[in-house]
Amino acid sequence: MTATILPGEPLTAADHVSLAERYSAHNYHPLPVVISHAEGAWVTDVAGRRYLDLLAGYSALNFGHRHPALVGAAIDQLHRVTLTSRAFHHNQFGLFCRELAQLTGTEMVLPMNSGAEAVESAIKIARKWAYQVKGVPPDRAEIITAGASFHGRTTTIVSFSTDSEARADFGPFTPGFRTVPYGDIDALASVITERTAAVLLEPIQGEAGVIVPPPGYLSRVRQLCDRHGVLLIADEIQSGLARTGPVLALDYDHVRADLYTLGKALGGGILPVSAVVGRADVLGVLHPGEHGSTFGGNPLACAVGRAVLRLLATGEYQKRSTELGAHLHRRLDGLVGHGVVEVRGRGLWAGIDIDPELATGRQLCEQLATRGILAKDTHGSTIRLAPPLVIGVTDLDWALDQLATTLEKLQP
Ligand SMILES: Cc1ncc(COP(=O)(O)O)c(C=O)c1O
């Protein structure tokens, strides 16, 4: 349906939706909420209606919308220098890399922009490492990935996706990947060969529905990698930076990866900032001219990233995520049997399977939106909650009350 847009009249939500329908590629199916302002955990639509944001830009808004320290750092940097390209040095770059390495307990940093770019970069680094250090014959390196993973949308990344929608009609695909069921250590062990360069995993699978692997799985993956001289790459683009409590979700299992991909919250919800961080002897395989990006590590990104790292260095957000997360999961567990079939997750991150007889995830999210809550479905009857870590307990409780009431009203 196309709304008639009258010149001089303020645009309504329907006008904005019809503009998007008419002029943008239809690669998303957003809820019909048109946001014009946001602060903290709340957003406001063009009609002035407020919503509590329980998605937080898929964790890109861990610190909420427009955190004053992050906006302040961005504005300061806007007044100095925003872009130099990597053809020259600038005075935010080295500091950002050092601070990110220190916070993550790693040695070296490769800054990029989007999450998918960080994953692509990690794949390239792992392959190069396999040829130059491990001695894998040219073009024979393999990377093991997990079923139902989500690592981004590039041609190479969708080559190992098991989601048919993400792959259909985008071939031919990039070879060199073996995909095994997530959480199945024997399946993983069975495909490791002398040609295996790396295992690439999300410590908790976000897009798949916030799937937590069986206890001990991640440390067994680490042991297998050590035994066979294989790199472990942890994609912490969504799970990292305090979403699950600790800085890195792998920290919960006391497991270290050789490379981590980070993104989303690293840009403070202001601009895309991603990075591969990890061992110097692995990242060290890259030499000038072999990999890069015009915008990767730009001054504005580094200044905002540094402000993000200062927030994380206080420990406050890790604490909030752990404590409020425990509260969130206690309350969600109480809904099992009352319209909820299963709840998974850790920290302020939850995948909720609702009874498919009651509604699809999409229908539930539409109903929650009418009650002033923004959440996102994943597949079928699963919704996920990832509130900004700045959310107050009263707001969180209010949202959970609304969820409980909505589910109750859906009961036959
Ligand atoms: C685990 C993981 N990796 C990679 C990506 C891709 O990030 P981007 O959308 O910034 O390319 C995502 C995005 O949801 C993600 O959750």
Side-chain angles (χ1 to χ4, degrees), residues 103-402:
L103 187 85
T104 53
T106 57
E107 296 169 334
M108 200 175 260
V109 171
L110 169 69
M112 299 300 287
N113 308 283
S114 70
E117 254 185 311
V119 174
E120 283 275 346
S121 305
I123 290 169
K124 287 173 72 179
I125 293 164
R127 285 178 167 182
K128 203 167 179 69
W129 174 89
Y131 301 127
Q132 299 206 334
V133 180
K134 185 166 173 172
V136 172
D139 290 345
R140 304 294 309 281
E142 282 186 344
I143 294 180
I144 302 173
T145 65
S149 67
F150 187 85
H151 298 283
R153 300 288 195 173
T154 62
T155 321
T156 289
I157 294 171
V158 300
S159 297
F160 56 83
S161 170
T162 52
D163 174 355
S164 53
E165 270 182 28
R167 284 170 58 92
D169 293 333
F170 293 127
F173 298 112
T174 309
F177 297 98
R178 302 288 300 264
T179 300
V180 293
Y182 187 65
D184 184 339
I185 196 71
D186 296 330
L188 195 142
S190 73
V191 296
I192 293 183
T193 69
E194 287 180 347
R195 297 194 280 126
T196 309
V199 174
L200 166 64
L201 290 175
E202 296 159 89
I204 291 179
Q205 288 191 319
E207 186 70 21
V210 194
I211 310 290
V212 182
Y217 173 69
L218 295 167
S219 51
R220 280 190 208 107
V221 174
R222 175 73 269 177
Q223 285 160 11
L224 271 179
C225 288
D226 287 341
R227 196 174 316 141
H228 297 278
V230 167
L231 299 176
L232 174 57
I233 308 173
D235 182 348
E236 295 253 14
I237 286 165
Q238 197 164 162
S239 60
L241 307 182
R243 171 50 61 194
T244 68
V247 171
L248 299 164
L250 265 195
D251 293 349
Y252 180 88
D253 297 90
H254 306 288
V255 170
R256 298 296 301 166
D258 303 295
L259 296 177
Y260 296 88
T261 52
L262 299 171
K264 297 196 190 278
L266 194 54
I270 295 179
L271 77 173
V273 183
S274 70
V276 183
V277 304
R279 277 167 46 187
D281 63 328
V282 179
L283 277 150
V285 298
L286 288 182
H287 299 109
E290 294 173 351
H291 187 67
S293 150
T294 304
F295 292 98
N298 70 72
L300 185 59
C302 289
V304 172
R306 292 184 67 205
V308 164
L309 299 174
R310 282 194 291 277
L311 291 183
L312 286 168
T314 65
E316 182 192 333
Y317 297 90
Q318 294 87 315
K319 187 163 180 278
R320 290 188 73 81
S321 182
T322 306
E323 290 173 5
L324 284 173
H327 180 70
L328 169 75
H329 282 279
R330 253 194 317 274
R331 287 215 46 193
L332 288 176
D333 287 343
L335 293 178
V336 174
H338 303 273
V340 169
V341 178
E342 188 181 282
V343 181
R344 298 169 299 273
R346 189 176 299 142
L348 269 176
W349 202 18
I352 307 167
D353 294 342
I354 56 164
D355 181 349
E357 303 277 300
L358 299 184
T360 63
R362 171 80 186 190
Q363 286 164 339
L364 181 63
C365 290
E366 284 168 355
Q367 300 227 359
L368 288 172
T370 66
R371 291 174 173 268
I373 290 158
L374 298 185
K376 181 74 178 84
D377 51 306
T378 48
H379 306 282
S381 289
T382 301
I383 67 165
R384 62 187 134 174
L385 303 183
L389 310 182
V390 295
I391 196 170
V393 69
T394 317
D395 285 346
L396 185 60
D397 274 332
W398 172 77
L400 292 167
D401 292 343
Q402 300 300 312

